[in-house]
Every structure is written in C-alpha cells, then in structure tokens.
Amino acid sequence: MKKIVTKFGGSSLADAGQFAKVRSILLMDEARQYVVPSAPGRRFKTDDKVTDLLYKCHRQVENGEDFEETFDLIAARYMDICEELGLKVDISAALDEVHDRIAGGANADYCASRGEYLNGLLLADYMGWRFLDAAQVIRFDDDGALDAELTNTLMAEALADGVPTVVPGFFGAYADGTVHTFSRGGSDITGAIVARAVNAAVYENWTDVSGFLMADPRIVDDPREISVVTYKELRELSYMGASVLHEDAMFPVHKAGIPTNIRNTNDPTHPGTIITLNAPADAKNPTITGIAGRKGFSIVSVEKAMMNSELGFGRKVLAAFEDNGVSFEHLPTGIDTMCVVVAGAALAPVREKVLAQIVASTSPDIITVHDYMSIIATVGRGMVNNCGTAARLFSAMSKAGINVRMIDQGSSELSIIVGVDDADYENTIKAIYNAFVR
Ligand code: ASP
C-alpha cells in the first residue's frame, strides 16, 4: 500500500487547536501512516518557541542561575495541550524526568531534543499510534555527522511492520546512546529520513505557508506560488537564501527519488509546492521558476595578462582564501581575470592578509575589491529550452537603470547569476520578476 510520511512544523503543533488540525489531516488519507512532529512553536508573534526555552534552561543551569521559571513555561505548554485534548499519557511524569535531567546538567542537545520528544508523546497518544524514540534509530558518527546508511537500516527495520508511528524530529544519538541534534530546523531532516526508510510515495512537509513563492514577498508584491520545482532548482534557490525547508532535508529523499510536498496546515486543501527529481517546465511560467539572492558579498578580482597560460595561477589565488579560512561562493573567470566572490563578513577580518598573499604568490597586474555586492540567481529548468532568456533578463535590468557588475551562468543552464551593488538588490529582483512573470 502507498505510504505517505508527514512532518509537521512547530507552528502546526503549537497548541491544542493546531493538534486538532493535524489529526484531521492525518485521518483524511489512510496512506498517512508516519508522522514526524517538531516541538511546539509560536502561537502568536511574540510567543516563545519551546526549543528556545529549552536552550535557555540549559544556559541557566550552566551559569548557575535558577531555571524554574523558564521550565514552568515549557511545562505549561505541554500540560495545556494534554488537558485540552483529554489525553491519557502521563506527560507530567515525563516532564519531571526532563526537569531533573536538565537540573543535573544534561548537555544542550539533550535539553533541546526534549521539545520534539514530549510533543511526540502527546501526538502518539492523541492518534493512538506507536511512539518510536528517534535516539534508537537515527545514528550519528563520532564526528557528529549523520550515519545515513546505518540510520536507514535501523529506521527501515523499526518501521517494517507497517504500524502507524510517531517519530519525534530533530534528534538522534551516538552509538553509546547520547542524544545529538541536527542543526536548527532539523525535524525536516528526520521526516526525509523516515520517508526514505519506508520508501514513501511522497514526503509531506506541513508548515504555515502554502509552499514556495517565486520571489521574496517583502520585495515583490504578491509573488506567484511555485507549484513544481526540481531538487536541483531548489538547491540553487535555497543556497541563495530562499528558505522554507532545511537544506539537508533534500538529500535523503532526493537520493531515493521521493517527491516532497510543502503543505499548509492552516489551508489543507491547498496543493502547495511539489519538489521532484524531474519535471516538465511549468506551463504557467515556462522560463523561470524563482528568483532569490543575498546581499553583503565582496568580489575580489585579480587581473594578469596571460593568466590562462600560467600553470597554478588559480590554485595560488584560491590558496590565499583557504589559508585564511575564507570559503568562496562563486568563481567567474575571464581570459585574463579571475573573480572570487566571498561573503563580505568572512573576508573583512583577514582582508589585508588575503590580498598580500595573492600579490606575493601571483604578482598580478591589478587587484581590486568591490564590497557591498549582492548576488541574485534567476533559476529555471525552462531556461535551456527558451532562447533569449539572458537578453530578456539583462534588458530588464538595463531598463531599470541597474549596473550589472558580474555575470555567471551555471554550467547546467539552470540559473543566471548576476552581481549588483547592494543598493540595487531590491530593484533588480523586481525588474527580473516583472520581465518574466507580470
Ligand atoms: N525544534 C527545532 C527548532 O526549533 C527543530 C525543528 O523545529 O525542526 O529548530
């Protein structure tokens, strides 16, 4: 039978009312047999996320401060949900145990992980489903990296009986059982791991938005929703700052060829965004899928006549960055120039050292640095088949009076990347959006 794995974010499980929505979504389709909950998130704008409160408790204990008040806020969240839904699980005993472990100096990861653990206990009781402690099935190696293959085996074995199960998100454990978490937002990864392990037909990631938008709504008024995006396109868009899903959550499902569907718990009939391996170009938006960007880059350009025939030139330039702990983001090159695009904040503290090393090792003719640059990626699987895309993009920018400082087209023809001054960032995104979508 077809299986669907669902993951619900913190706002989807923030209180009893949200729990009720989740239950009805789960019951709406009997293929939804596995659910990964986050910790209770914000109920209103100024509210606390339980995960943040748990980290706070840990800090307070570490600093020798009283953490009771903070813990009471956490306990109240779970007790309220439990009482309002009339659940039978002994959540106060579970809370007592967490309280005592925190008081006893448990590590930060253990403390933070209890947000999803306790929420999982509530949800399992509410659904009448099995609870599977993620610490038993998600395994990290000694360096803290996910052991993806062992995890997949353990998870698949634990879920092989087909019993509907709740697996709390965000954490797993080392071989000795010590709890370890993913980075923030990591319940998305747990959901993807479960989806791979049960070979789900789809991984549904339920949140509080109806999928991805083609551009940042703070910049473009009412941008269109993206109905279908490929994993590769999404990788480019999220690298550039568009975020709904934890980046590492794409790997397990992408590898297994399982589509991800971003859905809205507060608007459950909305189809959301589907992320797939391959997709035909969007009929509505045949050329571009989305636009995303980031500000605050520095571009170091190194110019030297006959650079192309000088063996090791590029390596020496890059070594200056590597030796000073700065990783590069893009590397557009010309015949006699090489540009290294780096995050401005990473370059600033070591700037003089990097430049001095480049000068010493390559004797360039000219070396210049442009700060306060934005990088904007226009991404679309439809670009390959549409000629004139670049012309359209650059003429829109020129009409808007924007000076293009850098151009980089990925070899996959999946995106066109432009560099502009930070001051032109918003206008560039608007101009590109209007040229292709409006
Ligand atoms: N609760 C964790 C966080 O706030 C993990 C998650 O929600 O995905 O980061």
Side-chain angles (χ1 to χ4, degrees):
M1 185 184 135
K2 174 180 144 186
K3 293 173 195 152
I4 296 175
V5 171
T6 57
K7 177 262 168 180
F8 287 87
S11 60
S12 302
L13 289 162
D15 59 23
Q18 292 298 87
F19 263 69
K21 289 184 193 170
V22 168
R23 182 181 158 87
S24 73
I25 289 167
L26 290 173
L27 296 180
M28 227 183 287
D29 186 339
E30 60 176 18
R32 294 184 178 127
Q33 292 167 21
Y34 305 96
V35 57
V36 173
S38 280
R42 290 194 186 92
R43 293 159 293 182
F44 42 90
K45 238 185 171 162
T46 53
D47 198 14
D48 291 306
K49 285 184 175 184
V50 164
T51 309
D52 291 331
L53 293 173
L54 286 160
Y55 279 120
K56 188 170 172 191
C57 285
H58 173 258
R59 276 196 310 275
Q60 287 174 321
V61 171
E62 240 185 3
N63 297 336
E65 293 161 18
D66 185 44
F67 78 102
E68 298 300 338
E69 211 176 294
T70 315
F71 193 82
D72 287 349
L73 293 174
I74 297 168
R77 299 285 302 262
Y78 292 103
M79 294 303 292
D80 284 354
I81 296 170
C82 193
E83 276 161 25
E84 274 185 59
L85 299 177
L87 305 181
K88 295 194 187 58
V89 60
D90 191 353
I91 202 70
S92 74
L95 281 162
D96 285 347
E97 193 195 329
V98 172
H99 174 276
D100 294 349
R101 295 271 313 258
I102 297 176
N107 67 30
D109 280 9
Y110 171 83
C111 297
S113 73
R114 297 304 92 180
E116 329 331 80
Y117 180 88
L118 294 164
N119 231 18
L121 291 179
L122 293 182
L123 187 59
D125 189 66
Y126 190 34
M127 296 304 300
W129 289 8
R130 172 173 62 189
F131 175 83
L132 174 64
D133 186 352
Q136 291 168 12
V137 281
I138 293 187
R139 187 63 63 78
F140 293 94
D141 64 24
D142 293 344
D143 300 325
L146 174 72
D147 185 336
E149 296 316 310
L150 178 56
T151 295
N152 189 48
T153 307
L154 295 172
M155 187 72 84
E157 272 170 16
L159 299 177
D161 56 11
V163 174
T165 304
V166 177
V167 185
F170 191 39
F171 69 95
Y174 293 106
D176 69 359
T178 309
V179 166
H180 184 60
T181 62
F182 294 109
S183 57
R184 295 298 304 263
S187 298
D188 286 343
I189 308 172
T190 311
I193 289 170
V194 177
R196 178 184 168 202
V198 302
N199 194 20
V202 56
Y203 167 33
E204 292 179 347
N205 192 294
W206 292 81
T207 171
D208 53 7
V209 292
S210 297
F212 298 112
L213 298 172
M214 289 187 75
D216 186 337
R218 289 167 300 187
I219 299 172
V220 170
D221 282 340
D222 204 14
R224 273 194 208 166
E225 283 148 359
I226 301 177
S227 51
V228 181
V229 59
T230 65
Y231 281 105
K232 277 192 181 160
E233 286 176 310
L234 186 63
R235 162 90 183 108
E236 302 226 2
L237 289 168
S238 49
Y239 168 77
M240 280 296 173
S243 67
V244 169
L245 194 64
H246 193 297
E247 235 188 301
D248 294 345
M250 284 181 252
F251 296 114
V253 271
H254 181 180
K255 217 169 150 182
I258 298 167
T260 299
N261 188 189
I262 308 291
R263 300 286 292 266
N264 188 349
T265 303
N266 305 317
D267 187 5
T269 54
H270 193 293
T273 299
I274 306 242
I275 313 162
T276 65
L277 219 49
N278 294 304
D282 189 332
K284 259 203 316 198
N285 304 303
T287 309
I288 71 164
T289 304
I291 310 162
R294 281 194 279 154
K295 286 182 168 179
F297 289 96
S298 291
I299 303 183
V300 179
S301 46
V302 187
E303 199 175 322
K304 187 175 187 187
M306 308 301 285
M307 165 193 117
N308 59 322
S309 57
E310 195 175 318
L311 204 61
F313 185 88
R315 180 179 48 76
K316 287 179 203 154
V317 170
L318 290 180
F321 291 90
E322 186 179 348
D323 293 351
N324 289 288
V326 181
S327 67
F328 74 86
E329 311 267 344
H330 294 276
L331 206 58
T333 50
I335 309 285
D336 285 330
T337 41
M338 179 171 167
C339 294
V340 186
V341 183
V342 297
L347 179 66
V350 288
R351 183 188 187 103
E352 296 315 320
K353 276 170 126 181
V354 170
L355 298 184
Q357 185 170 333
I358 296 174
V359 170
S361 62
T362 67
S363 313
D365 298 336
I366 306 171
I367 176 163
T368 47
V369 186
H370 288 286
D371 293 311
Y372 309 112
M373 299 292 297
S374 294
I375 304 289
I376 294 159
T378 303
V379 178
R381 59 190 181 279
M383 280 187 193
V384 192
N385 304 321
N386 275 287
C387 48
T389 308
R392 208 157 144 195
L393 189 144
F394 292 115
S395 80
M397 287 180 67
S398 111
K399 268 193 216 135
I402 297 158
N403 188 6
V404 182
R405 301 295 207 115
M406 187 201 90
I407 302 169
D408 192 5
Q409 175 165 31
S411 48
S412 58
E413 268 194 73
L414 202 62
S415 64
I416 297 177
I417 293 168
V418 291
V420 298
D421 289 334
D422 277 349
D424 289 329
Y425 176 73
E426 282 83 6
N427 281 340
T428 304
I429 293 184
K430 279 187 202 151
I432 298 174
Y433 185 86
N434 291 339
F436 286 97
V437 186
R438 296 253 193 242

